[in-house]
Amino acid sequence: MSKPTKRNIKKINADWVLPITSPPIKDGIVLTDGKAIKAVGSGKELSKFPYDEIIDCSGKIILPGFVNAHSHLELTGFRGKIEKGLPFTDWARKVVSIRKDITENEIATAIKDGVDELISSGVTTVGDFSQTGITAKILNERGLRGTVFLEFSGFNPEQKDEKLRQLKELLNYEIDSKLITHHSSLITVNFGIAPHAPYSVSPELLKESHNFAQEKRLPLAIHISEMLEEIEFIKNGSGAMKDLLIDFGVWNDKWMPPQTTPVQYLQNMGILKGAIGIHLNIVTEDDIRILKENDVSVVYCPGSNKWFGRNWKYPLREFLNNDINVVIGTDSLLSNEKLNMFYEMRVLKENFPDLENDIILKMATVNGAKAIGFEGEAGEIAVGRKADIIGIDIEDSSFNNPIEYVINKAEKASFSMINGKVIYE
Ligand SMILES: [Zn+2]
């Protein structure tokens, strides 16, 4: 073993350590060397390990920070501005009118508020859809890990060139400002692209933006199969979604409905391989096979579905039975009450009371990290992983299982470390 004395080894002790990919440890210890995890084990096992500083988390359960795999932090300022349970297209009309007059300063303030809410609820990594790219700068300043998916729509093919130009300009700007780093040890923000959805982006723009993402090796995320209006539109080219596109002035008379499901449509276009699919609330057996074959990670947004009053059963069991990587996202505060992963896990548990707690916790941590580009870095407490660790106060010590406590009882974090640096206490 090398001499660690000059390497600022921090020793974190806690009542429980939940490494996620290995069993819980009572009276556990985690050692970090500044940025990464050096060792994890029981106090007894690691008693001889030298250290420079102690971080006392007694009275807490510590675990890897949560990964919120889907948010729109730019919309954080609009909490409560739209009533719950509206039909999707009425909701979308309101979103567009609310967003219209917002200034860059207001957007930045909203993102900062959103980031604060994420941190206090234990999130250390986020996958955020951003139309302005401002999120990247703020995540970077606050030291939160994340992938910023630059989001755009454009159903009329005439919008294609301008939308692509904007996307490239935004990305170049971010690259020039040295925010794009791909796994640099100092800065923790990556980029991806997010064509909004199959019903709001033309096939031409979907294909070209996908080619661009391939060329730049950027991940692609997209909302898919969120609601019935979308399914009807992609199948028949009709219904409330068509009316919405006409009202927004982007309808294209030449567009022919693909007469498939949204998943099959994207598959036929060749853009699904390795993508991150947001929602996938309504799928067929064939869709599930396609998602598996294309190694698509699925982001389930339980709080958002509850907010819309969607009372159909989410195909979670079907995804899990087919070994699909399912993760959790909050979506935005225009379609959710909170940006809080404890709340999401609780709603998920209400929907699936029989689902094992450790599967839920994996969805909120290590699986999320895999989905948004941080596999092997975040989402677990294991040697060599980044030191992204949160602590939860034990308010009532009568529990048998610490994982159950996190899912059923906890509401906020009381400690957060990202990349070895304590950012919240
Ligand atoms: Zn979304």
Side-chain angles (χ1 to χ4, degrees):
M1 195 188 304
S2 62
K3 281 194 183 138
T5 43
K6 287 207 172 74
R7 299 188 58 190
N8 189 25
I9 300 282
K10 290 181 180 141
K11 176 177 176 171
I12 312 168
N13 64 290
D15 288 17
W16 283 96
V17 176
L18 308 183
I20 305 297
T21 44
S22 58
I25 305 162
K26 177 130 180 63
D27 296 321
I29 300 275
V30 181
L31 289 132
T32 77
D33 69 356
K35 285 175 189 149
I37 293 163
K38 279 294 270 182
V40 53
S42 69
K44 220 172 165 187
E45 281 163 355
L46 296 175
S47 63
K48 300 246 163 63
F49 204 107
Y51 61 89
D52 307 296
E53 185 187 337
I54 264 211
I55 298 178
D56 182 14
C57 283
S58 47
K60 296 188 203 297
I61 297 169
I62 63 171
L63 64 156
F66 295 125
V67 180
N68 179 353
H70 180 59
S71 65
H72 301 253
L73 292 171
E74 287 167 353
L75 304 177
T76 303
F78 301 129
R79 187 197 307 264
K81 286 276 194 285
I82 301 183
E83 61 269 36
K84 283 183 189 174
L86 279 185
F88 185 85
T89 48
D90 293 351
W91 175 87
R93 282 187 176 83
K94 291 207 169 184
V95 172
V96 169
S97 85
I98 283 176
R99 274 192 96 132
K100 205 167 54 220
D101 300 321
I102 187 170
T103 65
E104 284 218 343
N105 272 340
E106 287 167 331
I107 292 173
T109 304
I111 297 167
K112 283 179 190 161
D113 290 348
V115 167
D116 285 344
E117 194 163 336
L118 292 180
I119 291 172
S120 64
S121 58
V123 170
T124 54
T125 302
V126 64
D128 191 55
F129 275 29
S130 171
Q131 294 186 3
T132 63
I134 298 172
T135 314
K137 190 164 171 279
I138 294 169
L139 294 183
N140 193 51
E141 281 167 8
R142 298 296 306 274
L144 209 70
R145 203 179 294 287
T147 299
V148 175
F149 295 94
L150 299 168
E151 186 191 33
F152 53 90
S153 52
F155 187 75
N156 195 308
E158 284 172 14
Q159 296 171 284
K160 186 195 72 180
D161 291 344
E162 177 58 13
K163 292 288 179 178
L164 281 170
R165 192 195 60 74
Q166 285 172 2
L167 173 67
K168 289 174 187 176
E169 189 180 282
L170 207 52
L171 196 66
N172 279 334
Y173 168 76
E174 305 289 6
I175 293 168
D176 287 349
S177 60
K178 306 261 185 299
L179 282 175
I180 193 160
T181 56
H182 286 286
H183 310 294
S184 132
S185 55
L186 287 173
I187 309 173
T188 52
V189 178
N190 292 331
F191 285 90
I193 73 159
H196 173 262
Y199 57 82
S200 57
V201 182
S202 66
E204 293 84 354
L205 181 53
L206 277 170
K207 275 184 217 156
E208 278 202 38
S209 60
H210 172 256
N211 291 345
F212 173 69
Q214 293 285 95
E215 191 188 308
K216 299 281 179 196
R217 305 177 64 139
L218 299 170
L220 183 149
I222 179 168
H223 300 98
I224 317 174
S225 297
E226 182 177 358
M227 26 67 213
L228 292 164
E229 292 89 335
E230 173 181 355
I231 306 293
E232 181 190 354
F233 181 69
I234 299 296
K235 183 113 188 108
N236 302 316
S238 58
M241 197 58 83
K242 180 180 178 182
D243 298 341
L244 186 73
L245 295 171
I246 292 171
D247 287 357
F248 284 168
V250 294
W251 176 246
N252 170 21
D253 265 334
K254 296 197 185 73
W255 183 74
M256 301 290 285
Q259 299 185 316
T260 62
T261 67
V263 168
Q264 287 153 16
Y265 172 52
L266 297 176
Q267 154 77 350
N268 293 342
M269 214 178 282
I271 74 160
L272 219 45
K273 190 87 207 160
I276 300 134
I278 319 297
H279 297 304
L280 290 148
N281 289 325
I282 309 158
V283 290
T284 64
E285 265 179 39
D286 201 36
D287 287 347
I288 292 173
R289 180 187 57 76
I290 292 170
L291 294 170
K292 174 64 191 162
E293 278 172 15
N294 284 280
D295 208 12
V296 172
S297 283
V298 172
V299 184
Y300 176 24
C301 303
S304 177
N305 281 352
K306 181 172 176 168
W307 194 93
F308 274 110
R310 292 169 181 153
N311 50 13
W312 61 75
K313 187 101 178 145
Y314 188 77
L316 179 60
R317 282 286 182 194
E318 290 77 0
F319 290 142
L320 295 175
N321 290 343
N322 283 278
D323 210 14
I324 288 171
N325 186 39
V326 190
V327 308
I328 301 174
T330 58
D331 223 337
S332 83
L333 285 183
L334 275 178
S335 64
N336 203 345
E337 284 176 24
K338 316 174 183 199
L339 300 176
N340 184 314
M341 292 290 281
F342 294 106
Y343 172 73
E344 297 300 321
M345 290 193 293
R346 211 110 69 221
V347 176
L348 193 158
K349 190 79 188 171
E350 274 169 30
N351 296 341
F352 297 92
D354 299 335
L355 190 67
E356 299 83 340
N357 290 320
D358 60 332
I359 293 180
I360 299 176
L361 203 53
K362 277 185 181 153
M363 290 170 67
T365 54
V366 67
N367 294 3
K370 181 181 174 199
I372 62 167
F374 296 99
E375 184 173 18
E377 290 188 81
E380 57 186 317
I381 297 182
V383 175
R385 302 296 183 260
K386 306 284 188 196
D388 293 1
I389 296 167
I390 61 164
I392 293 165
D393 286 345
I394 299 170
E395 314 264 358
D396 163 13
S397 57
S398 63
F399 59 85
N400 296 320
N401 179 331
I403 295 179
E404 207 176 289
Y405 183 86
V406 171
I407 290 172
N408 293 334
K409 296 270 170 60
E411 270 160 23
K412 59 182 195 299
S414 57
F415 169 83
S416 180
M417 166 187 269
I418 302 179
N419 236 19
K421 193 172 147 204
V422 178
I423 60 153
Y424 177 76
E425 269 181 296

Coordinates of all heavy atoms in Angstrom, one line a residue, residues 4 21 70 178 258 272 283 292 301 314 380 394 401 404 420:
P4 N -0.3 7.0 2.3 CA -1.4 8.0 2.0 C -1.3 9.3 2.8 O -2.2 10.1 2.7 CB -2.7 7.2 2.3 CG -2.2 6.2 3.4 CD -0.8 6.1 3.3
T21 N -24.2 -1.7 -4.5 CA -23.9 -2.9 -5.3 C -23.2 -4.0 -4.4 O -22.7 -5.0 -4.9 CB -22.9 -2.5 -6.4 OG1 -21.9 -1.6 -5.9 CG2 -23.7 -1.8 -7.5
H70 N -33.9 12.6 -15.1 CA -34.6 13.5 -16.1 C -35.3 14.7 -15.3 O -36.1 14.5 -14.5 CB -35.7 12.7 -16.8 CG -36.4 13.6 -17.8 ND1 -35.8 14.3 -18.8 CD2 -37.7 13.9 -17.9 CE1 -36.7 15.0 -19.5 NE2 -37.9 14.8 -18.9
K178 N -15.1 25.9 -22.2 CA -14.4 24.8 -21.4 C -15.2 24.0 -20.5 O -14.8 23.5 -19.5 CB -13.2 25.4 -20.7 CG -12.2 26.2 -21.5 CD -11.0 25.3 -21.9 CE -9.9 26.1 -22.7 NZ -10.4 26.7 -23.9
P258 N -46.5 7.5 -39.6 CA -45.8 6.2 -39.8 C -46.7 5.0 -39.6 O -46.3 3.9 -40.0 CB -44.7 6.3 -38.9 CG -44.9 7.4 -37.9 CD -46.0 8.3 -38.5
L272 N -32.6 4.8 -32.3 CA -32.8 4.4 -31.0 C -31.6 3.7 -30.3 O -31.6 3.7 -29.1 CB -34.0 3.4 -31.1 CG -35.0 3.4 -30.0 CD1 -35.5 4.7 -29.6 CD2 -36.2 2.5 -30.4
V283 N -46.5 1.0 -23.9 CA -45.7 0.2 -24.9 C -46.3 -1.2 -25.2 O -47.1 -1.7 -24.4 CB -44.3 0.0 -24.3 CG1 -43.5 1.2 -24.3 CG2 -44.3 -0.7 -23.0
K292 N -35.1 -3.4 -25.7 CA -34.0 -4.3 -25.2 C -32.9 -4.4 -26.2 O -31.8 -4.3 -25.9 CB -34.7 -5.6 -24.8 CG -33.7 -6.7 -24.4 CD -32.9 -6.3 -23.1 CE -31.7 -7.2 -22.9 NZ -30.8 -6.6 -21.9
C301 N -41.0 8.3 -14.6 CA -41.2 9.5 -13.9 C -42.5 9.4 -13.1 O -43.6 9.8 -13.5 CB -41.3 10.7 -14.8 SG -39.9 11.0 -15.8
Y314 N -48.0 1.4 -15.0 CA -46.7 1.5 -15.7 C -46.1 0.2 -16.0 O -46.1 -0.7 -15.1 CB -45.8 2.4 -14.9 CG -44.5 2.8 -15.6 CD1 -44.5 3.8 -16.5 CD2 -43.3 2.1 -15.4 CE1 -43.4 4.1 -17.2 CE2 -42.2 2.5 -16.1 CZ -42.2 3.5 -17.0 OH -41.1 3.8 -17.7
E380 N -22.7 4.3 -6.8 CA -22.4 3.2 -5.9 C -21.2 3.6 -5.0 O -20.4 4.5 -5.4 CB -22.1 1.9 -6.6 CG -21.0 2.0 -7.6 CD -20.8 0.8 -8.5 OE1 -20.9 -0.3 -7.9 OE2 -20.6 0.9 -9.7
I394 N -31.0 9.5 10.9 CA -31.8 8.5 11.4 C -32.7 9.1 12.6 O -32.2 9.4 13.6 CB -31.0 7.3 12.0 CG1 -30.2 6.7 10.9 CG2 -31.9 6.2 12.6 CD1 -29.1 5.6 11.3
N401 N -34.3 -2.8 8.5 CA -33.6 -2.7 7.3 C -33.3 -1.3 6.8 O -34.3 -0.5 6.6 CB -34.4 -3.5 6.2 CG -33.8 -3.5 4.9 OD1 -33.0 -2.6 4.5 ND2 -34.1 -4.5 4.1
E404 N -35.0 -0.1 3.6 CA -36.4 0.2 3.8 C -36.6 1.5 4.5 O -37.6 2.3 4.1 CB -37.0 -0.9 4.7 CG -38.4 -1.2 4.6 CD -38.8 -2.4 5.5 OE1 -38.3 -3.5 5.2 OE2 -39.4 -2.2 6.5
G420 N -15.6 14.2 -3.7 CA -14.8 14.3 -2.5 C -14.9 15.6 -1.7 O -14.3 15.8 -0.7

